[in-house]
């Protein structure tokens, strides 16, 4: 976490110059979350979302803070209506749907997770963002999960596997 800590410190040092800028608050909160500083990240991401509820970067940061804090119900309550209003061709639509699918799995809603895959995550269903060569893999460094489409991956801790979707949880110590 050395580099992540340095980024969080950098964001702390320049924060006074940005004040209540919603985008900066979301970026700062994300940096703090990545560094494990969840208590410090929470009010920043909440303020960012309050200032601009439609900011996709803020929604992403909120999903991360909830994930890292072990609050799948909070993440679900936020992401479901947020995604319903966000354009399907928006850059974060597939990725935030991926976050929601992880939340659904955490809550034991496996059918909902599969429906999200079919409707929003698989490459053919989503035009926003950059495609990932036939597979969707979360670029989030701390999410500890990968959603692989139509591939088999043998790793410790396969949580759920059915045709068309494989969700793999892995520890940081694993390559």
């Amino acid at each position: 976490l050395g580099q992540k800590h340095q980024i969080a410190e950098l964001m702390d040092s320049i924060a006074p110059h940005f004040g209540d800028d919603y985008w900066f608050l979301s970026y700062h909160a994300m940096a703090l979350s990545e560094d494990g500083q969840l208590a410090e990240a929470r009010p920043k991401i909440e303020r960012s979302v309050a200032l601009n509820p439609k900011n996709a970067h803020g929604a992403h940061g909120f999903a991360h803070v909830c994930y890292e804090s072990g609050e799948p119900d909070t993440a679900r309550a936020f992401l479901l209506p947020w995604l319903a209003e966000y354009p399907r061709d928006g850059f974060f639509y597939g990725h935030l749907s991926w976050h929601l699918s992880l939340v659904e799995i955490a809550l034991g809603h496996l059918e909902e997770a599969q429906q999200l895959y079919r409707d929003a995550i698989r490459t053919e269903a989503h035009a926003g963002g950059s495609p990932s060569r036939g597979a969707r893999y979360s670029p989030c460094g701390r999410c500890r999960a990968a959603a692989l489409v139509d591939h088999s991956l043998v790793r410790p801790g396969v949580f759920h596997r059915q045709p068309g979707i494989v969700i793999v949880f892995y520890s940081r110590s694993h390559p």
Side-chain angles (χ1 to χ4, degrees), residues 120-165:
I121 300 170
R122 68 186 173 95
T123 304
E124 302 82 21
H126 172 62
S130 58
S132 306
R133 297 179 298 279
R136 284 279 185 211
Y137 172 75
S138 172
C140 299
R142 290 190 34 100
C143 279
R144 294 188 216 119
L148 302 173
V149 180
D150 297 328
H151 294 291
S152 294
L153 180 62
V154 179
R155 292 184 88 153
V158 172
F159 179 80
H160 180 66
R161 182 176 178 207
Q162 293 198 9
I165 186 167

Side-chain angles (χ1 to χ4, degrees), residues 1 4 33-36 67-68 141-144 155 169-175:
L1 285 179
K4 293 179 189 283
S33 172
E34 291 283 312
D35 190 41
Y67 174 84
E68 294 294 332
R142 290 190 34 100
C143 279
R144 294 188 216 119
R155 292 184 88 153
F169 288 84
Y170 58 95
S171 71
R172 271 178 226 222
S173 60
H174 245 132

Side-chain angles (χ1 to χ4, degrees), residues 20-96:
D20 230 11
D21 179 83
Y22 74 87
W23 192 90
F24 181 83
L25 286 167
S26 69
Y27 196 85
H28 192 183
M30 188 73 173
L32 292 168
S33 172
E34 291 283 312
D35 190 41
Q37 299 181 53
L38 298 172
E40 294 82 1
R42 173 69 68 161
K44 289 179 183 1
I45 200 60
E46 287 177 351
R47 180 70 180 144
S48 173
V49 170
L51 288 168
N52 185 352
K54 295 183 179 190
N55 175 22
H57 200 273
H60 184 235
F62 192 84
H64 268 260
V65 170
C66 290
Y67 174 84
E68 294 294 332
S69 300
E71 300 174 20
D73 289 313
T74 304
R76 186 175 195 268
F78 176 80
L79 286 172
L80 277 172
W82 196 92
L83 280 166
E85 297 295 320
Y86 189 68
R88 283 188 62 89
D89 63 349
F91 188 80
F92 271 94
Y93 189 83
H95 186 71
L96 287 173

